[in-house]
Amino acid sequence: MRALVLQDGKPQLIDKPRPVPRDDQVLVRMTMAGICNTDLELVRGYMNFAGTLGHELLGVAETGDLRGQRVTCEINFACGKCDWCRRQQPRHCPTRSVLGILEQDGAFADFVVAPRANLHVVPDGVDDLQAVFTEPLAAAFEVLEQVHIQPRDEVVVLGDGKLGLLLAQVIALTGARVLCVGKHDDHLAIARQAGAQTVLFDQWDRTKRDVVIEATGTASGFELAVAATRPGGTVVLKSTVADKASLSLAALVIDEIHVVGSRCGPFAPALRALADGHIDVGAMVGGCFDLSQALDGLDAAAERGALKIVLRA
Amino acid sequence: MRALVLQDGKPQLIDKPRPVPRDDQVLVRMTMAGICNTDLELVRGYMNFAGTLGHELLGVAETGDLRGQRVTCEINFACGKCDWCRRQQPRHCPTRSVLGILEQDGAFADFVVAPRANLHVVPDGVDDLQAVFTEPLAAAFEVLEQVHIQPRDEVVVLGDGKLGLLLAQVIALTGARVLCVGKHDDHLAIARQAGAQTVLFDQWDRTKRDVVIEATGTASGFELAVAATRPGGTVVLKSTVADKASLSLAALVIDEIHVVGSRCGPFAPALRALADGHIDVGAMVGGCFDLSQALDGLDAAAERGALKIVLRA
């Protein structure tokens, strides 16, 4: 089968054997897989990953009780036995592998194996190009798991990349006033469509708000986010970047600011929001590439201002 | 009257006129005032403060309805009219002055003026040397205002300075298991007396715990605290230091750690804890100096391992 692997530090399209599922696993035939900024970071050396890339999977189950059904896949493959797993926190299982990120071959291949427990059936009303956004949309919903955003809160989403736009849409559902700050007016138009206010970064007045969600994908975004948060307010960190950030601790202490690191989220609410039509990601597709053109897809995803690039099998 | 002022960047004991209270203020005759690490930071240039130092005040009201009563004084002097004040958050009033820290003459003087609203009567059963700890003890209680520490949590207090020891005592009241990590065995003995476990910094195994409270007074304590926090756990920042800290954002994001900046706290619970005997700060007094020897008191407070130095009028 075809697979886009990171090997000797370089992304390469190779032919490799189809994986064989263990008893607790399912073989999934990949239909679509989204390219994420994290994939580009991995190519740059983040996490020292080697193997098949890709963690935004939509496919069809080929084995087990889900055979023939469309599925998406939670990316943290947990042990199922440790304290974390028993506490229903498998995303923090210390011995987990992570699809296409940590010791686990990923979604940019014709076939993928995944634990049965990680698969979610896609509701009939959700088409493939919407369903392939389930994983990043779940990451946006994670903010609502962690932070109680109240309907009268004023929220800034810092960044109008793919994750920033999903965040703006999800937060707008809470009734809170959302201001999406970005650098691309065509991206900001997507946030406006979902009811968010928008402003170009250069014109942003930096008024302090209740909650600031940092999704710029840069280390420098953190200090910016802290400066735009009211006393007692909350900064949510969504950017996964390898760089270190510097910040004044006095700013956090004097204004008693809360900082919340935020990573992967729950799939069920994301699929419900897509099925109910509360979230529409149609405008966020930047292009589709056949898996055989996966390297071109990676290049397209790395272009400044690229929206979601999707690989198809 | 006598006053220890910071003037031209240097602490000096001078004679200056007794302050005159406005209608909404009370004249307080200082009985005792504690020296805090923040005072030492101010002497080093933090906040560019100029004026009378001191923010841990115990005194006797000389005017108004409290005349003749022992009082302690909340340090944030708020406008009483803005959104923050109306939301009962005067400690974050943007136009506040702060006793002995920001545009407000402080407690190291024979007389101090303070708003009536900031004064708390000291219960009869609390002696002066306990009551003078009300302000820093309130700062320790602030952690319980901000973070729900559960009885089964495992908590680390990083630092065995004056604030660290108050934190260890307050957190131990919650039923949570507290480990105080420090560098002075005689300080750690005070934490043990309150029921905390203790370990010298060099022998600490750095097992990840639910909540880590950073009270080392150093910028480097932050990264240490993050590394000792379990996924989904909470770091509380209590150190006010001017230095910038560097940290890996990926650590916060991957482990979804919460960081909570924490400053001044509520006086009423602190006074209740002293009155009920739940907190005993007697062992934390490192020495008493008459106000006329205030400069010697500052020197004593700056010595490595100093406990609370108290000035008396």
Side-chain angles (χ1 to χ4, degrees):
Chain A
M1 67 169 193
R2 301 167 297 175
L4 181 69
V5 298
L6 192 56
Q7 201 168 276
D8 306 323
K10 279 198 305 215
Q12 309 177 33
L13 190 69
I14 66 168
D15 195 74
K16 62 187 279 188
R18 180 187 296 196
V20 177
R22 292 195 316 257
D23 279 356
D24 60 336
Q25 293 179 323
V26 175
L27 183 72
V28 176
R29 180 168 49 78
M30 187 269 272
T31 315
M32 288 186 182
I35 299 178
C36 169
N37 282 351
T38 301
D39 298 314
L40 305 175
E41 288 277 322
L42 292 168
V43 169
R44 291 186 199 109
Y46 175 61
M47 303 284 289
N48 289 314
F49 179 71
T52 305
L53 286 163
H55 58 272
E56 299 180 1
L57 171 64
L58 173 70
V60 175
E62 295 274 307
T63 60
D65 64 314
L66 300 179
R67 183 199 294 250
Q69 297 203 60
R70 292 189 306 154
V71 291
T72 57
C73 181
E74 295 210 44
I75 71 174
N76 295 282
F77 295 3
C79 74
K81 293 167 197 156
C82 70
D83 279 358
W84 291 98
C85 291
R86 276 189 278 118
R87 280 190 243 165
Q88 309 295 321
Q89 302 252 39
R91 298 197 293 268
H92 287 300
C93 171
T95 60
R96 70 187 179 272
S97 60
V98 185
L99 185 70
I101 293 176
L102 177 69
E103 293 168 8
Q104 189 70 45
D105 280 327
F108 298 160
D110 284 307
F111 292 92
V112 187
V113 290
R116 168 66 182 85
N118 284 52
L119 298 180
H120 293 254
V121 172
V122 177
D124 284 343
V126 180
D127 71 27
D128 285 359
L129 263 177
Q130 301 264 345
V132 74
F133 281 85
T134 305
E135 196 279 334
L137 184 57
F141 271 100
E142 177 69 354
V143 175
L144 301 189
E145 289 256 318
Q146 298 178 287
V147 180
H148 179 196
I149 292 179
Q150 297 175 286
R152 290 188 299 178
D153 280 343
E154 306 221 350
V155 180
V156 171
V157 174
L158 205 52
D160 63 355
K162 299 175 287 292
L163 186 54
L165 294 176
L166 291 172
L167 286 161
Q169 292 180 75
V170 166
I171 306 302
L173 295 176
T174 67
R177 190 177 298 185
V178 179
L179 176 69
C180 186
V181 180
K183 294 190 170 175
H184 309 280
D185 198 60
D186 55 327
H187 291 203
L188 292 175
I190 295 170
R192 281 195 293 276
Q193 190 66 32
Q197 298 179 312
T198 65
V199 66
L200 286 167
F201 185 81
D202 295 338
Q203 289 155 33
W204 178 35
D205 68 3
R206 305 192 186 194
T207 300
K208 289 172 189 275
R209 311 257 173 165
D210 301 298
V211 178
V212 180
I213 304 176
E214 200 292 304
T216 65
T218 66
S220 59
F222 182 46
E223 195 143 32
L224 211 59
V226 170
T229 304
R230 68 154 169 88
T234 300
V235 172
V236 182
L237 282 181
K238 289 301 297 189
S239 296
T240 318
V241 286
D243 300 343
K244 286 207 171 194
S246 92
L247 82 157
S248 156
L249 296 181
L252 291 182
V253 173
I254 291 174
D255 282 346
E256 296 197 311
I257 286 176
H258 293 230
V259 179
V260 180
S262 179
R263 188 171 43 107
C264 302
F267 272 42
L271 286 166
R272 279 197 293 274
L274 291 170
D276 296 344
H278 293 151
I279 300 282
D280 181 0
V281 293
M284 289 182 58
V285 178
C288 294
F289 290 75
D290 188 83
L291 182 55
S292 57
Q293 261 73 53
L295 288 168
D296 294 337
L298 271 190
D299 288 343
E303 275 175 30
R304 188 179 141 77
L307 286 167
K308 180 63 73 185
I309 301 298
V310 176
L311 303 181
R312 294 169 181 269
Chain B
M1 66 169 192
R2 300 167 296 173
L4 181 70
V5 300
L6 192 58
Q7 201 167 275
D8 306 324
K10 277 199 306 215
Q12 309 177 31
L13 189 69
I14 65 167
D15 194 73
K16 63 188 280 187
R18 183 186 294 198
V20 178
R22 293 194 316 257
D23 280 355
D24 60 336
Q25 292 178 326
V26 176
L27 182 70
V28 177
R29 180 168 48 78
M30 187 268 272
T31 316
M32 289 186 183
I35 300 179
C36 169
N37 282 350
T38 301
D39 298 314
L40 305 175
E41 289 276 320
L42 292 167
V43 170
R44 291 189 199 105
Y46 175 61
M47 304 283 290
N48 290 315
F49 178 71
T52 306
L53 287 163
H55 57 273
E56 300 180 0
L57 171 65
L58 173 71
V60 174
E62 296 273 309
T63 60
D65 64 315
L66 299 179
R67 182 198 294 249
Q69 299 204 58
R70 293 189 304 154
V71 292
T72 57
C73 180
E74 296 211 42
I75 71 175
N76 295 280
F77 296 2
C79 75
K81 296 167 195 156
C82 69
D83 280 358
W84 290 100
C85 291
R86 277 190 277 114
R87 282 190 242 165
Q88 307 297 319
Q89 302 251 39
R91 298 198 292 269
H92 288 298
C93 171
T95 60
R96 69 185 179 275
S97 60
V98 185
L99 184 70
I101 293 176
L102 178 70
E103 293 168 10
Q104 189 70 46
D105 280 327
F108 298 161
D110 284 307
F111 292 92
V112 187
V113 290
R116 168 66 182 84
N118 284 52
L119 298 181
H120 293 255
V121 173
V122 177
D124 285 341
V126 179
D127 71 29
D128 285 0
L129 264 177
Q130 300 264 343
V132 74
F133 281 85
T134 306
E135 197 278 336
L137 184 58
F141 271 100
E142 178 69 354
V143 175
L144 301 189
E145 289 257 319
Q146 297 178 288
V147 180
H148 178 195
I149 291 180
Q150 298 175 287
R152 290 188 299 176
D153 279 345
E154 306 221 351
V155 180
V156 171
V157 174
L158 206 51
D160 61 356
K162 298 176 287 292
L163 187 54
L165 293 177
L166 291 172
L167 287 160
Q169 291 181 76
V170 167
I171 306 303
L173 294 176
T174 66
R177 190 176 298 186
V178 179
L179 176 69
C180 185
V181 181
K183 294 189 169 175
H184 308 280
D185 198 59
D186 56 326
H187 291 202
L188 293 176
I190 296 170
R192 280 195 295 275
Q193 190 66 31
Q197 298 179 312
T198 66
V199 66
L200 286 167
F201 185 81
D202 295 338
Q203 289 155 32
W204 178 36
D205 69 2
R206 304 191 186 194
T207 301
K208 288 173 190 274
R209 311 257 172 164
D210 302 297
V211 178
V212 179
I213 304 175
E214 202 291 302
T216 65
T218 66
S220 59
F222 182 45
E223 195 143 33
L224 211 58
V226 171
T229 304
R230 69 156 170 85
T234 300
V235 172
V236 182
L237 281 180
K238 288 300 299 189
S239 297
T240 319
V241 286
D243 300 344
K244 286 206 171 194
S246 92
L247 83 158
S248 156
L249 297 180
L252 291 182
V253 172
I254 291 175
D255 282 345
E256 296 195 313
I257 286 176
H258 294 229
V259 179
V260 180
S262 179
R263 187 171 44 105
C264 302
F267 272 42
L271 286 165
R272 278 196 294 273
L274 291 171
D276 296 344
H278 293 150
I279 300 280
D280 180 1
V281 293
M284 289 183 59
V285 178
C288 292
F289 291 75
D290 187 82
L291 182 57
S292 56
Q293 261 74 52
L295 289 168
D296 294 336
L298 270 189
D299 288 344
E303 274 175 30
R304 186 178 143 77
L307 286 166
K308 178 63 72 185
I309 302 297
V310 175
L311 302 181
R312 293 169 181 270

